[in-house]
């Protein structure tokens, strides 16, 4: 959804209907479940605040099975006009929530997609107690209990085995 900055009314613009945004995500398995955004203009700056909730298909970090993850992203972004290409811009620590727009418009869908991706877990799990894959046979330990013997310890790490006992308390 392309938003033209001059078209944002002085009282602001509220976006609450996910269907009105159309297709937000490039990945068809991602679904926008809820959106509660407020767009406000302050001169040339645009403030986008609110929250989005989406269901995203990810691969479990332990067993590699696909699973659906619900991501809730709090959005608090200031959009400013992109400076001329010859200008150098030094960002301060307070500028980490700043993004740029060009030609008096910005893509709200791209902003929502980026914020949703940032809200995803670094290591998604299909469930809290996921057992993962067997390091010997590669079987999913959530599905089958394999009878593989435990892998022997790496002999290069044997000197570290009793390190905790040797350290002074």
């Amino acid at each position: 959804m392309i938003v033209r900055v001059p078209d944002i009314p002085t009282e602001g613009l509220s976006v609450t209907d996910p269907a009105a945004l159309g297709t937000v995500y490039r990945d068809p398995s991602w679904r926008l479940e809820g959106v509660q955004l407020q767009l406000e203009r302050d001169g040339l700056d645009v403030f986008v605040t609110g929250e989005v909730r989406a269901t995203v298909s990810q691969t479990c970090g332990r067993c590699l099975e696909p699973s659906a993850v619900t991501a809730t992203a709090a959005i608090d972004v200031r959009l400013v006009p992109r400076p001329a290409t010859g200008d150098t811009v030094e960002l301060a620590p307070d500028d980490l929530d700043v993004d740029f727009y060009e030609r008096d418009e910005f893509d709200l869908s791209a902003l929502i997609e980026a914020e949703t991706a940032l809200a995803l877990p670094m290591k998604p799990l299909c469930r809290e107690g996921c057992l993962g894959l067997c390091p010997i046979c590669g079987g999913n330990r959530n599905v089958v209990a394999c009878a593989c013997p435990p892998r022997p310890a790496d002999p290069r790490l044997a000197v570290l085995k009793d390190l905790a006992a040797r350290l002074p308390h």
Side-chain angles (χ1 to χ4, degrees):
M1 172 179 189
I2 303 296
V3 177
R4 291 193 26 81
V5 174
D7 294 345
I8 299 174
T10 53
E11 67 274 3
L13 178 65
S14 183
V15 179
T16 57
D17 185 14
L21 293 172
T23 303
V24 176
Y25 302 113
R26 287 176 279 173
D27 187 337
S29 66
W30 289 26
R31 287 187 328 275
L32 184 63
E33 303 290 339
V35 60
Q36 193 75 24
L37 295 177
Q38 185 68 27
L39 286 68
E40 297 174 351
R41 211 170 30 139
D42 182 18
L44 294 176
D45 294 359
V46 177
F47 294 94
V48 181
T49 56
E51 186 176 271
V52 295
R53 193 179 68 256
T55 301
V56 177
S57 177
Q58 287 196 300
T59 303
C60 178
R62 290 184 187 162
C63 69
L64 305 179
E65 293 292 325
S67 64
V69 175
T70 300
T72 302
I75 298 178
D76 186 9
V77 176
R78 179 169 55 117
L79 299 165
V80 298
R82 183 173 299 283
T85 56
D87 295 345
T88 58
V89 178
E90 184 174 332
L91 295 177
D94 293 339
D95 293 334
L96 294 177
D97 60 348
V98 173
D99 204 349
F100 299 105
Y101 67 86
E102 295 182 82
R103 297 181 306 275
D104 287 338
E105 62 186 24
F106 63 94
D107 187 358
L108 186 60
S109 299
L111 176 69
I112 291 172
E113 183 173 29
E115 294 294 326
T116 302
L118 289 172
L120 292 174
M122 299 267 284
K123 186 175 181 181
L125 297 177
C126 60
R127 61 179 175 266
E128 187 62 36
C130 178
L131 299 174
L133 301 176
C134 172
I136 306 296
C137 69
N140 186 343
R141 291 193 268 185
N142 296 315
V143 178
V144 217
C146 65
C148 297
R151 192 185 307 194
D154 189 334
R156 297 171 292 179
L157 299 176
V159 295
L160 300 176
K161 185 176 182 181
D162 61 343
L163 178 65
R166 291 184 288 162
L167 289 174
H169 292 35

